[in-house]
Amino acid sequence: MACSVHHPTLVLPFISSATSPKHRQCSLWKIFQKAELHTFTASKPRIRPLMAVAGNKDTQKSREKLYLGMDFGTSGARFALIDQHGTIHSEGKKEYPLYQNEERIDWARSWKTTLFALLEDVPDHLRAFVAAISIDGTSATTMIVHSSTGEPLWRPFLYNENCPDALDFVKSIAPANHTVCTGSSTLCKLVSWWNNDDSNRKSALLLHQADWLLWLLHGKLGVSDYNNALKVGYDPEVDSYPPWLLAQPFSQILPSVIAPGTAIGSLKEDIGTQYGFPEDCIVCAGTTDSIAAFLAAGATKPGKAVTSLGSTLAIKLLSTKRIEDARFGVYSHRLDDKWLVGGASNTGGAVLRQIFTDEQLVKLSEQIDPSKASPLDYYPLKAVGERFPVADPNLSPRLHPRPESDVEYLHGILESIALIEAKGYSLLKEMGATQVEEVFTAGGGAKNEKWTEIRERVLGLPVSRAMQTEAAYGAALLAFKGAQQ
């Protein structure tokens, strides 16, 4: 198979969570607001100490319900347990155990092991109050499983895996510049598998990472959400797979699609019994990890945006208009009656860590004057190739000339990344998206105050750190949503 994969980065994929006319469910944001979750942007959610929540038996009997969210990222997974007010009662994380299978990492086994390890890490005295569970996963991480047993028929295709062997065919059937018209799309992965494994076609089912992990909990095969299904070609605006996709022979293995946060079914009895979760605990449809991160940030109005500064830079803007163009790596997820538009650049923290240690980054940043523009002009990339806002697979990194002063050098790099961010938001505006008014920051870069001040100057916008930066928190909000239906 001609697919290729790059080492995972900390990019947060893309987001959507809309009310589907097909399902007629309450607005996600109205439900959150009813539960007072709209106050998150004004005051930081509380974290209740574990000693305070243990209580006595009488206290536990009257205890309010809790909602469990799990985030499966590129190198590990996290959980967050919240109540209806957004209070965090417990949280934790696990790195993936890297099992080997024929000289490859057995990702399916690693994810499954981590899922149950996270359930084990939920404090014993809180499990009986968990009313709902949801999971987010990396966008376009694709699994081909047996339609009856759920067992993988092929190794998982990771989110950043490229399948150029399928791209020409996908471009021939999809509308011009559609989201699927990139080698890393779920549809390209499906077509690549279809052309290389005809022996399992009749018994196959396509699922995304989050879908499969949720199936392990609820036991109903063949269910996805329209955030994860976007990159296989699902159209969230009309709430269906398009005719050009349904006309293909491989459409038979596509999952059914529901809105993120929709209740799928009860937690499997054996799992509930083993871990001490209640009989009426439900499992809800998930989303992608960056959508969960956007939900966690609490950016609920058009013009609000979230920039994720991890290993790479990703921007997401809440817009009243849908924007999509594969030529620029721009696409939209549905978010209630709005659209979450954005893209992901290859610049970001990974470049900084190639040059400086974490300690150097802290000390050098302290010496930067963020009010002054750097005269240095860079395009910081870890390797050749850019996705957004310049779509050029041959774009070379530009990190020279290097001044004698490391402070000046870091200043130049931070400012250059900020200029790329600004160009991204400018591109979205040119394409018709809502004008950005305020930016919340997630990821490790959110901790660098001098960089925040540089970005405020370059963007000409208020920039602040998101109150909640963990995608697991957003997944917990989806669990809460499902429990209110």
Side-chain angles (χ1 to χ4, degrees), residues 353 356-363:
R353 284 196 168 91
F356 304 105
T357 65
D358 288 347
E359 184 179 357
Q360 286 176 319
L361 287 172
V362 172
K363 290 185 176 181

Short mmCIF file of all heavy atoms in Angstrom, two decimals, residues 353 356-363:
data_model
loop_
_atom_site.label_atom_id
_atom_site.label_comp_id
_atom_site.label_asym_id
_atom_site.label_seq_id
_atom_site.Cartn_x
_atom_site.Cartn_y
_atom_site.Cartn_z
N ARG A 353 11.34 23.70 19.62
CA ARG A 353 12.04 22.69 20.41
C ARG A 353 13.21 22.07 19.63
O ARG A 353 14.05 21.40 20.22
CB ARG A 353 11.06 21.61 20.85
CG ARG A 353 10.19 22.08 22.00
CD ARG A 353 9.51 20.91 22.71
NE ARG A 353 8.89 21.34 23.95
CZ ARG A 353 7.65 21.76 24.06
NH1 ARG A 353 6.89 21.82 22.99
NH2 ARG A 353 7.15 22.11 25.24
N PHE A 356 15.67 25.30 20.77
CA PHE A 356 15.85 25.69 22.17
C PHE A 356 15.31 24.61 23.10
O PHE A 356 14.39 23.87 22.75
CB PHE A 356 15.10 27.00 22.47
CG PHE A 356 15.48 28.16 21.60
CD1 PHE A 356 14.62 28.59 20.59
CD2 PHE A 356 16.68 28.82 21.79
CE1 PHE A 356 14.96 29.67 19.79
CE2 PHE A 356 17.04 29.90 20.99
CZ PHE A 356 16.17 30.33 19.99
N THR A 357 15.88 24.55 24.30
CA THR A 357 15.33 23.69 25.34
C THR A 357 14.16 24.44 25.99
O THR A 357 14.00 25.65 25.82
CB THR A 357 16.36 23.36 26.41
OG1 THR A 357 16.72 24.58 27.10
CG2 THR A 357 17.61 22.72 25.79
N ASP A 358 13.34 23.72 26.76
CA ASP A 358 12.23 24.36 27.46
C ASP A 358 12.74 25.45 28.42
O ASP A 358 12.15 26.52 28.53
CB ASP A 358 11.42 23.32 28.24
CG ASP A 358 10.61 22.43 27.34
OD1 ASP A 358 10.48 22.76 26.13
OD2 ASP A 358 10.09 21.40 27.81
N GLU A 359 13.86 25.16 29.09
CA GLU A 359 14.44 26.13 30.01
C GLU A 359 14.90 27.39 29.28
O GLU A 359 14.69 28.51 29.74
CB GLU A 359 15.61 25.50 30.77
CG GLU A 359 16.21 26.41 31.83
CD GLU A 359 17.36 25.76 32.59
OE1 GLU A 359 17.65 24.57 32.32
OE2 GLU A 359 17.96 26.43 33.44
N GLN A 360 15.52 27.21 28.12
CA GLN A 360 15.96 28.35 27.32
C GLN A 360 14.76 29.19 26.86
O GLN A 360 14.81 30.42 26.85
CB GLN A 360 16.76 27.87 26.11
CG GLN A 360 18.16 27.38 26.44
CD GLN A 360 18.86 26.83 25.21
OE1 GLN A 360 18.25 26.13 24.39
NE2 GLN A 360 20.14 27.14 25.07
N LEU A 361 13.71 28.52 26.45
CA LEU A 361 12.52 29.23 25.97
C LEU A 361 11.96 30.14 27.06
O LEU A 361 11.57 31.28 26.80
CB LEU A 361 11.45 28.24 25.51
CG LEU A 361 11.73 27.52 24.18
CD1 LEU A 361 10.70 26.42 23.94
CD2 LEU A 361 11.71 28.51 23.03
N VAL A 362 11.95 29.64 28.29
CA VAL A 362 11.44 30.44 29.41
C VAL A 362 12.35 31.64 29.67
O VAL A 362 11.90 32.79 29.75
CB VAL A 362 11.30 29.58 30.68
CG1 VAL A 362 10.98 30.46 31.88
CG2 VAL A 362 10.24 28.51 30.49
N LYS A 363 13.65 31.40 29.79
CA LYS A 363 14.59 32.46 30.14
C LYS A 363 14.73 33.50 29.03
O LYS A 363 14.79 34.71 29.30
CB LYS A 363 15.95 31.86 30.47
CG LYS A 363 15.98 31.07 31.78
CD LYS A 363 17.37 30.59 32.12
CE LYS A 363 17.40 29.89 33.47
NZ LYS A 363 18.76 29.43 33.84
#
